[in-house]
Amino acid sequence: MKQKFYSLWISLLLIIIFIFQITFPKFTELFLLNQRTIQNLEIWRYLTAIFLHSSLTHLLFNLFALIVFGIYLEKIIGSKRFIITFLLSGIIANIIALNFYDSSLGASGAIYGLIGALTILKPTMIIYAFGMILPMFIATIIYIITDILRTLGAFDSNIGAIAHLSGIIIGFLFGIYFRLKLKNKDKIEKRTKINFDESSLKEWEDKFIK
């Protein structure tokens, strides 16, 4: 299965779109997630908002996470499943987020979907997060706790914590599905594996070839 490195292509697309955002001031308004999505049935915003960012810092954080987690997840589940996980996590997270925020933008919901899926598939994988070396599942627990605290107003933040939490839950569901699929695939491959009897093969060669 050839890896297409969609995370890198998406990263390039995010950079190009951000250049459009800072070059054309009204560009962002046309595609971000806001109440026009519902009022005017501009449903494309559920998708397009994923590819917008509010600042260079916002973009860089998402690019780092997308590349680090994305490349590894795509290697495990394949490019097609990766892009489906990314887009559906982002869209569903945006649908939920619009019930709590007047407007939002960013790839965080989609990226948290990747994190959730990877946590289920590789919980003990070692990563660098929060300035520490941590197992994947510990880092994910910290991500979740941090966003729950943001949601409860424990500290001021303009970060869409609900979109993060929604994305990671969707990612968990994808991860469970993929884990079951990969497990079943391994079982099938083991059942259908052909075992050669070397002694019989040698006997056949001696008889018919020599």
Side-chain angles (χ1 to χ4, degrees), residues 1-45:
M1 182 166 49
K2 186 177 180 180
Q3 189 173 359
K4 297 181 179 179
F5 295 99
Y6 280 141
S7 58
L8 297 180
W9 288 109
I10 293 171
S11 296
L12 178 61
L13 179 60
L14 295 181
I15 293 170
I16 292 171
I17 290 175
F18 186 70
I19 292 172
F20 272 86
Q21 286 184 257
I22 60 179
T23 304
F24 305 102
K26 294 184 180 180
F27 180 86
T28 302
E29 182 60 33
L30 293 173
F31 299 105
L32 88 166
L33 187 69
N34 59 20
Q35 295 306 312
R36 290 176 63 89
T37 310
I38 298 173
Q39 294 168 358
N40 297 351
L41 295 179
E42 297 178 359
I43 58 174
W44 66 80
R45 294 175 183 267

Side-chain angles (χ1 to χ4, degrees), residues 132-190:
M132 298 177 285
I133 304 297
L134 299 170
M136 186 76 201
F137 78 97
I138 296 294
T140 299
I141 290 172
I142 297 174
Y143 285 134
I144 291 172
I145 292 173
T146 301
D147 281 316
I148 289 174
L149 292 175
R150 286 194 183 109
T151 302
L152 296 175
F155 42 86
D156 293 334
S157 174
N158 62 352
I159 294 174
I162 291 176
H164 292 183
L165 293 171
S166 302
I168 209 164
I169 290 170
I170 300 302
F172 286 155
L173 296 177
F174 272 117
I176 292 168
Y177 173 76
F178 293 142
R179 192 177 183 93
L180 292 174
K181 290 284 285 186
L182 293 171
K183 186 177 181 180
N184 290 335
K185 182 180 177 182
D186 289 342
K187 286 181 179 178
I188 292 171
E189 288 178 349
K190 286 178 181 178

Side-chain angles (χ1 to χ4, degrees), residues 201-210:
L201 183 60
K202 188 176 186 304
E203 182 181 339
W204 184 88
E205 288 175 345
D206 292 339
K207 184 175 181 180
F208 295 102
I209 295 179
K210 295 182 179 178

